[in-house]
Amino acid sequence: MKHFKSQYLWVLLVIFAMSCKDNAKKDIVKNENPVKKERAIESAILENDTSFYHVDFKTYPQMDKSLPIGVFDSGTGGLTVLDALVHFDGHNNKNNEKGGDAIPDFISEKFIYLADQANMPYGNYSSENKTDLLVEHILKDMQFLLSDKYYREASDIQFQKDKQPVKSIVIACNTATAYGSEFINEFIDKTGIELKVIGVIDAGARGTLSTFKKDENGAIGVMATVGTISSKGYENTLLRVKDELGYTGNIQIFNQGGHGIAEAVDEEPDFVNKKYKKPRDDYRGPSLNDPNFAIDKTLMDIYNFDFDHGKMLCDNKDVDDCQVLQINDSGNYVRYHVVSLLEQIRKAKNPQPLKAIVLGCTHYPYLTKEINEVLDELYNYKKDGKYIYRDYMVEKVAIVDPAVNVAEELYVYMKEKNLFNPAGNIKDSEFFISVPNSTNANVKLDDNGRFPYSYKYGRNEGEIQEYVKMVPFSKNNISEETLDRFKTSIPQTYKLIEEFTRSNPKTKYLDESVRIK
């Protein structure tokens, strides 16, 4: 009887174990194929034919070589990527073989550029716990490029429907690539069309590592928005590509979140406001008491800030006695962050010398000159007769702009798919920018006609509405100072912008005074 009971218990245990095993298998199957909830903006684009955002992908002219190439960024910084595409000459235009022929490779391609200026900076959404809202903005950027809709002016009620869709898309934004590329690829799969989307981070990683020999030691500085840094997009990609390409040296990575640089380039008033000569209450950049981005008074001689013409705002005539100190110039933002990067390396355990800096934000190439100036100053900076930073950096640090690598990737794809336009003209390129939708009663604006910070990052994903309108570039939405920077930094692309506002039918309604020329 005792033996029977023990056998009975053993059978029960086996049955129980098998039952648990079966349930575990079921759980594993469930987790292998999780049901992903469709985002509200995806439903609006794909299914709701009454929505402004709807696109009919059943009739989409996919793989049509006559279509333009779409490029988007959170602001005007992505024009540096477009400029690289405009200038790219890595192949012979007659036979598509490797090697330039003094004719730009994309000379026969039309581009459509979108700057989502109203919703920038994208880098702050993660720190405000609004990455879902950021992804919604990114998918709306995609929708614009894939659709035929735009507005002529911010005040227009009726949208136009004569914009071409695109045959491929370049995400000219590191933060959008870091947080959005996975969702973009999923979204494109749902549309059922074939369309290549190229991001900047992989290209940037490969370009940065190309400055190293396969067995060389050294440090890489990643300068990017706070959002891109917190995503670890560059750090993880650099480590992955390093292994893939067989680099065996001790390559260290140092991240510097460039809080305020992109905002200063695009003249976001919370970070730069030339009207002020004294500190202000609505400032959001680095300061003496900022817990994350503190200006270190002991480094003032090394920062070497330019205080002329209100470029730094101090509450005291004597700079040494400042109790409140605010940066009010893009060049000074660069000074703060490059010094902070070198200080980070100097204080690290067994650091390798800085050999390359990857510009992980498309706004930063506008400031390459300023970055090089500060690096040169730091290399030659002495204290008590000793060079402070020479052990921590090479004399000529490589500044890597990922845009050239993006151009090569796009070219290879278009060659493979036979997508080059045989009869196009780069002079037909078009430029659009987002502006706050003042005709939407839910939208809140500040005195400058922009979204206040609290409203911009206080909105919620899923509340589908037109927060912005996409309108052509003009002096109504881009300042003279910014246009002057374009003219100097990206002259060829600036000429395309001029051509667009001068002769494109989409801008014929513009008053002569607001045309870009």
Side-chain angles (χ1 to χ4, degrees), residues 250-301:
N250 179 12
I251 298 178
Q252 300 172 341
I253 300 169
F254 292 90
N255 295 305
Q256 181 63 34
H259 181 59
I261 299 179
E263 294 90 334
V265 169
D266 273 333
E267 300 177 56
E268 280 293 302
D270 290 344
F271 294 85
V272 166
N273 195 323
K274 297 301 174 63
K275 293 189 300 184
Y276 290 92
K277 303 301 177 187
K278 293 181 179 179
R280 53 206 174 86
D281 294 334
D282 59 351
Y283 173 75
R284 294 184 178 275
S287 64
L288 295 174
N289 301 313
D290 191 302
N292 300 310
F293 298 96
I295 298 173
D296 187 341
K297 271 196 169 184
T298 66
L299 299 176
M300 289 300 287
D301 188 45

Side-chain angles (χ1 to χ4, degrees), residues 342-400:
L342 263 297
E343 279 292 294
Q344 188 187 154
I345 296 171
R346 186 177 69 84
K347 293 175 181 177
K349 187 177 180 181
N350 301 320
Q352 295 296 320
L354 179 66
K355 183 167 172 31
I357 293 177
V358 57
L359 302 182
C361 174
T362 52
H363 289 70
Y364 296 2
Y366 289 123
L367 300 167
T368 300
K369 177 172 171 279
E370 289 84 346
I371 293 170
N372 278 317
E373 281 177 2
V374 180
L375 288 170
D376 186 59
E377 287 177 20
L378 294 177
Y379 187 78
N380 293 298
Y381 182 81
K382 279 184 180 181
K383 188 173 183 179
D384 300 327
K386 295 181 180 179
Y387 291 106
I388 302 299
Y389 296 105
R390 283 199 178 183
D391 289 342
Y392 308 102
M393 62 189 296
V394 299
E395 184 175 3
K396 293 298 178 186
V397 176
I399 306 298
V400 180

Side-chain angles (χ1 to χ4, degrees), residues 87-99:
H87 283 94
F88 186 64
D89 179 25
H91 306 81
N92 187 299
N93 285 42
K94 290 182 179 178
N95 57 25
N96 298 124
E97 295 299 319
K98 200 88 166 153

Side-chain angles (χ1 to χ4, degrees), residues 63-279:
M63 307 305 285
D64 181 344
K65 63 179 66 177
S66 70
L67 293 182
I69 298 165
V71 182
F72 78 87
D73 183 33
S74 60
T76 59
L79 289 170
T80 60
V81 176
L82 178 59
D83 195 61
L85 296 172
V86 168
H87 283 94
F88 186 64
D89 179 25
H91 306 81
N92 187 299
N93 285 42
K94 290 182 179 178
N95 57 25
N96 298 124
E97 295 299 319
K98 200 88 166 153
D101 58 0
I103 301 172
D105 291 349
F106 298 107
I107 193 72
S108 296
E109 300 298 328
K110 171 182 174 179
F111 292 93
I112 294 183
Y113 181 85
L114 170 65
D116 188 16
Q117 185 79 17
N119 291 312
M120 75 88 63
Y122 279 5
N124 291 349
Y125 285 90
S126 62
S127 60
E128 297 293 343
N129 297 313
K130 287 297 175 80
T131 52
D132 282 343
L133 179 61
L134 171 60
V135 171
E136 181 174 291
H137 292 330
I138 293 167
L139 291 176
K140 284 181 176 178
D141 296 338
M142 291 286 294
Q143 181 275 341
F144 171 76
L145 292 173
L146 295 167
S147 79
D148 57 3
K149 297 172 186 169
Y150 69 97
Y151 288 88
R152 286 178 172 173
E153 294 184 279
S155 58
D156 282 4
I157 302 297
Q158 182 58 47
F159 54 80
Q160 306 299 310
K161 292 191 66 177
D162 60 341
K163 183 186 76 65
Q164 285 180 288
V166 298
K167 60 185 173 186
S168 58
I169 292 176
V170 172
I171 313 172
C173 176
N174 291 271
T175 304
T177 303
Y179 286 97
S181 58
E182 175 190 348
F183 301 105
I184 287 171
N185 289 328
E186 289 175 0
F187 170 72
I188 292 296
D189 286 345
K190 291 175 184 177
T191 67
I193 65 172
E194 182 176 352
L195 186 135
K196 177 74 169 178
V197 180
I198 297 172
V200 286
I201 291 182
D202 261 63
R206 292 176 189 279
T208 304
L209 287 166
S210 71
T211 65
F212 286 76
K213 296 173 184 174
K214 284 294 173 80
D215 60 350
E216 187 177 8
N217 300 332
I220 295 170
V222 179
M223 287 185 65
T225 66
V226 175
T228 299
I229 295 297
S230 65
S231 76
K232 295 201 170 188
Y234 262 103
E235 185 171 354
N236 292 339
T237 304
L238 280 163
L239 293 173
R240 172 177 58 78
V241 175
K242 171 182 177 285
D243 290 340
E244 288 175 357
L245 298 181
Y247 285 88
T248 58
N250 179 12
I251 298 178
Q252 300 172 341
I253 300 169
F254 292 90
N255 295 305
Q256 181 63 34
H259 181 59
I261 299 179
E263 294 90 334
V265 169
D266 273 333
E267 300 177 56
E268 280 293 302
D270 290 344
F271 294 85
V272 166
N273 195 323
K274 297 301 174 63
K275 293 189 300 184
Y276 290 92
K277 303 301 177 187
K278 293 181 179 179

